[in-house]
Amino acid sequence: SQQGEEDPQALSIQEGENATMNCSYKTSINNLQWYRQNSGRGLVHLILIRSNEREKHSGRLRVTLDTSKKSSSLLITASRAADTASYFCANGGGATNKLIFGTGTLLAVQP
Amino acid sequence: SQTIHQWPATLVQPVGSPLSLECTVEGTSNPNLYWYRQAAGRGLQLLFYSVGIGQISSEVPQNLSASRPQDRQFILSSKKLLLSDSGFYLCAWSVAGGTDTQYFGPGTRLTVL
């Protein structure tokens, strides 16, 4: 399977703490994306980092990419209860814009 | 702005019955379209994608089929449902030739009994 893996599978933290999720992928990439999924809902795109970038920020989100290790991490700073969701990485590339999704991290932020 | 719709939101069907799930996109032209299935607590499995009307690519052999009768309409079908077809079905679109970012619909929860 080409599917990537995310670590940890589940993470529980207190409000105000930082949350770090890691993603490993298997194929070469044009970009690496992170998505969020609230329970029973569709996925929402959070951030995209291109293969020639090493770090990117968006609000409380910080993403890093290490193409030599085929890995990425998502950091959510100052977490809130509303951040509770599943987070997926996905690597993209190719004319059809197909994405290969990781297995996801379930984040629970306790108020 | 662009929106994506899926229906129905939930569906309970007996084994052996047919299936038709519909996805429509508004506010864009010639999108790439995708069907995914998500098993409980798992990641997404790409089932089909389409880069144009009548152009369907299947990612995995299965009991399902897809069609794209119009530019912004994507349909997932089955002639006879299996228990293993239960899951959460998500439709998504992306800009053809864009950055691969995909925009997802709200999903259909299918339970086959």
Side-chain angles (χ1 to χ4, degrees), chain A residues 21-25 32-34 49 63-66 69-74 89:
Chain A
M21 290 161 269
N22 303 297
C23 163
S24 61
Y25 57 90
L32 193 290
Q33 305 180 36
W34 286 87
I49 185 166
V63 170
T64 61
L65 179 64
D66 186 334
K69 295 180 179 179
K70 293 188 175 178
S71 67
S72 174
S73 67
L74 171 68
C89 65

Side-chain angles (χ1 to χ4, degrees), chain B residues 87-99:
Chain B
F88 191 48
Y89 288 84
L90 289 158
C91 180
W93 72 273
S94 68
V95 175
T99 62

Side-chain angles (χ1 to χ4, degrees), chain B residues 27-100:
Chain B
T28 189
S29 296
N30 194 34
N32 291 338
L33 294 171
Y34 312 85
W35 276 113
Y36 292 90
R37 177 168 59 203
Q38 185 178 33
R42 304 288 300 276
L44 278 70
Q45 179 187 35
L46 178 63
L47 301 175
F48 301 94
Y49 67 92
S50 171
V51 299
I53 295 175
Q55 300 178 59
I56 308 295
S57 295
S58 174
E59 286 295 293
V60 293
Q62 58 204 313
N63 186 40
L64 303 168
S65 62
S67 62
R68 185 171 177 174
Q70 299 181 43
D71 181 44
R72 291 168 290 176
Q73 184 184 30
F74 206 22
I75 297 174
L76 184 69
S77 304
S78 173
K79 292 182 179 178
K80 288 184 178 182
L81 284 169
L82 306 172
L83 286 173
S84 57
D85 291 325
S86 293
F88 191 48
Y89 288 84
L90 289 158
C91 180
W93 72 273
S94 68
V95 175
T99 62
D100 308 339

Side-chain angles (χ1 to χ4, degrees), chain A residues 57-108:
Chain A
H57 297 256
S58 176
R60 293 185 295 113
L61 305 180
R62 172 179 170 250
V63 170
T64 61
L65 179 64
D66 186 334
T67 53
S68 67
K69 295 180 179 179
K70 293 188 175 178
S71 67
S72 174
S73 67
L74 171 68
L75 168 67
I76 304 175
T77 59
S79 64
R80 306 166 181 168
D83 294 329
T84 295
S86 291
Y87 292 83
F88 295 90
C89 65
N91 51 295
T96 56
N97 298 23
K98 287 195 297 182
L99 293 177
I100 300 174
F101 281 86
T103 51
T105 293
L106 177 60
L107 173 65

